C-alpha cells in the first residue's frame, strides 16, 4: 500500500482545551504524526474538508500554513517512493523531517521566522528578526550550535545588549525569552538535549523588571476632551486616542481594523488581534460623537471607520501591518503637541490609553469584569496589570503609620 500524508486534528488538547494540527503519515494502515505548531478549538476544524473553518479569526493564515506543510510532506514522500524508502510510517516520518546536518541555532531561527511569515504574524516577525540580528552581531558568526548557548554565553550576551545596543532590561529579557522559546522547540524536535538547557533552577533565570505603568487621570482626560482650535491631524489623533480609551483601552491596531459592519444594534463586535478574543461592548455616547464625524467618508458598510487602512491592500497582511505601524507613529507625534496644549506632563502615547483606563478603574471594578474588558486569558494577568493602578490601601497604610 502506498504511503500518504494529510493534515489532521489530534485528539489530545493542551491546557487551554485546544487541539494541535498535525501531518498524519500513514503506511500499511499504521500512522504517525508530526505536529506543525498551531492549536485550535475543535469546533473550528472542518474534518471533512481538512481545513480550519472560517469561524476561526485566523482561518486564512492557518489554511495557508496547512497547505504549505502538506505540500512539503507530499513532495518529500514522492522522493522517498521513487527511492523505495517508504518502508514504514515511522521510518518515513524520520526521513521526511530529518536534515542532512543537525541545524544550528540560526538555521532553526530562520525556519521559525519563516513560519511566522506564513502565519502573517508580522509584529512578532519584526521583533524576533531583530533579536536574531542582535545574537548574530554578538556571536560574530552564522554558525552557532544550541550546545554553545550556555550560561556563560547568555551572561556575556546580556552585557553586550546593554553596552553595545543600549537595550532596556525588559528588552534584554525579551531576547532571552526568544532564545528559550527556540531552545524548547529544538529539544522537542530532537535537535538538542535537555541536559544542555541553560534555563531554569540553578541556571539562567528570566525575570522581567517591574515597569512603571502610568495613565492619565480623569481630570487630564477632561482637559484633553475640551481642547479646541486643533489642526486636522491633532483632531484625528485625539479621536483615535479617545476611541481606544472609551472602549476599555483597546489597542490602536484593533481600532484601525474596525469596520462599520462591526457595529450592530448600538454595539461594537470585534476580535482582538493579539489573542483572538471576541468582545462585544455597548457604544458609549462619547464614541457616537466620534463616529458621526467619520460618517461623511463612509463608502459602504464593509468600509473601515478610520482612514488609515482605506487604501491598504486587504489581501496583503504585511501592507496592513506597515500602514498601522506608520499610523501609530504619526498619532504619537501629534499626541505630543496635544499633551502640551492640555498641560499634561505625563508622556502621552497611544498605548497610554490602555493604562489610563486601568488607572481610572483602580479597584472600583471587580477583577473578573476587568478581565472580560481587557480580554485577558488568565485572571492573574488582569490582577498583575491592575495592581499598577491600585494605590489606596498602601496610601492609607502609610498614612496610618506616620500620622502621629
Amino acid at each position: 500500500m502506498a504511503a500518504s500524508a494529510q493534515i489532521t486534528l489530534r485528539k489530545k488538547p493542551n491546557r487551554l482545551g485546544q487541539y494541535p494540527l498535525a501531518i498524519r503519515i500513514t503506511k500499511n494502515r499504521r500512522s504517525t504524526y508530526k505536529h506543525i505548531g498551531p492549536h485550535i478549538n475543535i469546533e473550528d476544524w472542518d474534518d471533512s474538508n481538512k481545513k480550519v473553518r472560517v469561524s476561526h479569526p485566523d482561518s486564512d493564515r492557518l489554511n495557508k500554513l496547512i497547505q504549505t506543510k502538506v505540500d512539503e510532506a507530499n513532495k518529500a514522500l514522492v522522493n522517498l517512493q521513487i527511492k523505495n524508502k517508504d518502508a514504514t510510517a515511522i521510518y518515513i516520518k524520520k526521513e521526511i523531517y530529518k536534515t542532512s546536518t543537525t541545524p544550528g541555532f540560526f538555521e532553526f531561527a530562520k525556519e521559525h521566522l519563516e513560519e511566522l511569515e506564513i502565519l502573517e504574524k508580522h509584529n512578532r516577525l519584526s521583533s524576533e528578526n531583530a533579536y536574531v540580528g542582535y545574537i548574530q552581531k554578538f556571536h560574530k558568526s552564522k554558525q552557532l550550535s544550541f550546545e554553545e548557548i550556555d550560561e556563560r554565553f547568555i551572561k556575556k550576551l546580556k552585557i553586550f545588549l546593554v553596552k553595545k545596543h543600549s537595550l532596556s532590561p525588559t528588552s534584554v529579557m525579551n531576547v532571552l525569552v526568544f532564545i528559550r522559546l527556540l531552545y524548547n522547540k529544538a529539544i522537542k524536535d530532537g535537535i538538542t538535549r535537555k541536559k544542555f538547557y541553560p534555563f531554569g533552577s540553578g541556571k539562567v533565570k528570566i525575570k522581567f523588571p517591574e515597569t512603571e505603568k502610568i495613565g492619565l487621570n480623569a481630570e487630564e482626560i477632561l482637559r484633553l476632551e475640551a481642547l479646541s482650535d486643533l489642526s486636522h491631524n491633532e483632531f484625528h489623533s485625539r479621536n483615535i486616542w479617545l476611541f481606544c480609551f472609551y472602549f476599555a483601552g483597546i489597542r490602536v491596531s484593533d481600532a484601525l481594523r474596525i469596520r462599520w459592519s462591526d457595529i450592530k444594534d448600538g454595539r461594537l463586535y470585534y476580535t482582538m488581534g493579539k489573542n483572538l478574543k471576541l468582545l462585544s461592548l455597548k457604544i458609549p455616547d462619547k464614541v457616537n460623537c466620534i463616529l458621526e464625524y467619520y460618517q461623511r467618508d463612509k463608502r459602504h458598510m464593509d468600509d473601515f471607520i478610520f482612514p488609515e487602512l482605506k487604501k491598504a491592500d486587504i489581501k496583503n497582511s504585511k501592507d496592513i501591518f506597515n500602514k498601522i505601524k506608520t499610523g501609530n507613529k504619526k498619532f504619537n507625534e501629534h499626541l505630543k503637541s496635544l499633551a502640551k496644549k492640555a498641560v499634561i506632563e505625563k508622556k502621552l502615547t497611544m498605548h497610554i490609553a490602555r493604562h489610563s483606563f486601568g488607572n481610572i478603574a483602580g479597584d472600583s471594578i471587580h477583577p473578573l469584569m476587568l478581565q472580560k474588558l481587557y480580554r485577558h486569558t488568565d485572571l492573574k494577568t488582569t490582577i498583575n496589570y491592575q495592581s499598577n493602578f491600585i494605590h489606596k490601601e498602601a496610601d492609607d497604610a502609610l498614612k496610618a503609620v506616620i500620622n502621629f
Side-chain angles (χ1 to χ4, degrees), residues 1-3 26-30 86-88:
M1 182 183 292
T26 304
K27 173 73 176 184
N28 295 329
R29 297 182 180 178
R30 293 183 178 273
D86 59 335
T88 67

Side-chain angles (χ1 to χ4, degrees), residues 88-279:
T88 67
I90 293 176
Y91 179 81
I92 292 169
K93 176 183 174 182
K94 289 181 179 179
E95 286 295 306
I96 288 178
Y97 295 106
K98 78 175 184 179
T99 55
S100 55
T101 56
T102 302
F105 177 83
F106 293 124
E107 290 86 358
F108 199 68
K110 183 180 178 182
E111 292 178 12
H112 171 76
L113 295 175
E114 288 173 349
E115 184 175 308
L116 290 180
E117 187 167 15
I118 291 172
L119 290 172
E120 300 178 0
K121 295 182 179 293
H122 299 297
N123 199 26
R124 279 189 60 189
L125 178 62
S126 177
S127 300
E128 294 180 8
N129 192 44
Y131 301 157
V132 174
Y134 290 138
I135 300 166
Q136 282 182 339
K137 288 177 183 177
F138 166 71
H139 189 57
K140 298 179 181 178
S141 170
K142 292 186 178 180
Q143 302 299 318
L144 174 64
S145 68
F146 279 94
E147 290 76 14
E148 291 178 87
I149 305 177
D150 55 15
E151 293 170 67
R152 184 170 181 271
F153 179 97
I154 294 174
K155 182 179 179 180
K156 293 177 70 175
L157 173 63
K158 288 168 65 177
I159 295 171
F160 170 83
L161 293 173
V162 173
K163 293 187 68 175
K164 295 294 183 180
H165 292 281
S166 302
L167 293 194
S168 68
T170 298
S171 295
V172 171
M173 290 300 106
N174 282 329
V175 176
L176 299 194
V177 167
F178 173 68
I179 294 173
R180 184 178 65 183
L181 168 69
L182 290 192
Y183 221 116
N184 283 324
K185 290 179 70 174
I187 292 172
K188 187 176 180 180
D189 287 356
I191 292 170
T192 188
R193 286 178 286 173
K194 184 73 175 178
K195 70 176 185 178
F196 299 115
Y197 191 61
F199 302 100
S201 179
K203 298 182 180 181
V204 176
K205 290 186 178 180
I206 297 177
K207 185 176 181 181
F208 281 90
E210 291 187 6
T211 56
E212 191 175 45
K213 291 181 172 64
I214 298 177
L216 302 191
N217 57 41
E219 183 182 334
E220 290 166 328
I221 291 174
L222 287 172
R223 292 205 300 269
L224 186 63
E225 291 175 334
L227 288 178
S228 58
D229 298 323
L230 301 178
S231 69
H232 171 76
N233 288 331
E234 288 175 334
F235 183 74
H236 176 55
S237 298
R238 181 182 65 174
N239 280 348
I240 298 289
W241 193 95
L242 290 172
F243 184 91
C244 292
F245 168 74
Y246 294 148
F247 279 121
I250 66 171
R251 295 172 179 83
V252 64
S253 56
D254 290 326
L256 295 183
R257 284 188 170 94
I258 293 174
R259 304 170 188 258
W260 291 105
S261 56
D262 295 325
I263 298 174
K264 301 178 182 70
D265 299 323
R267 301 186 69 83
L268 171 65
Y269 297 84
Y270 82 101
T271 302
M272 292 181 65
K274 186 172 182 180
N275 57 16
L276 305 180
K277 293 285 186 178
L278 298 172
L279 181 62

Side-chain angles (χ1 to χ4, degrees), residues 385-400:
Y385 180 82
Q386 202 61 20
S387 66
N388 292 279
F389 311 109
I390 298 175
H391 310 296
K392 187 177 183 303
E393 288 186 1
D395 293 345
D396 290 347
L398 178 63
K399 182 179 179 181

Side-chain angles (χ1 to χ4, degrees), residues 66-82:
I66 287 170
Q67 190 60 55
T68 299
K69 295 296 185 182
V70 171
D71 288 347
E72 289 174 354
N74 280 318
K75 183 178 179 180
L77 189 55
V78 169
N79 290 333
L80 286 176
Q81 289 169 345
I82 291 172

Side-chain angles (χ1 to χ4, degrees), residues 212-218 220-221 241-242 244-251 346 349-367 369-371 373-376 381-392:
E212 191 175 45
K213 291 181 172 64
I214 298 177
L216 302 191
N217 57 41
E220 290 166 328
I221 291 174
W241 193 95
L242 290 172
C244 292
F245 168 74
Y246 294 148
F247 279 121
I250 66 171
R251 295 172 179 83
K346 297 168 184 172
T349 66
M350 286 305 307
H351 194 62
I352 293 300
R354 192 168 181 82
H355 295 341
S356 299
F357 184 85
N359 184 42
I360 295 174
D363 59 358
S364 62
I365 300 177
H366 194 281
M369 182 52 64
L370 282 172
Q371 181 191 12
L373 289 171
Y374 290 143
R375 304 310 290 159
H376 288 154
T381 304
T382 305
I383 294 172
N384 290 336
Y385 180 82
Q386 202 61 20
S387 66
N388 292 279
F389 311 109
I390 298 175
H391 310 296
K392 187 177 183 303

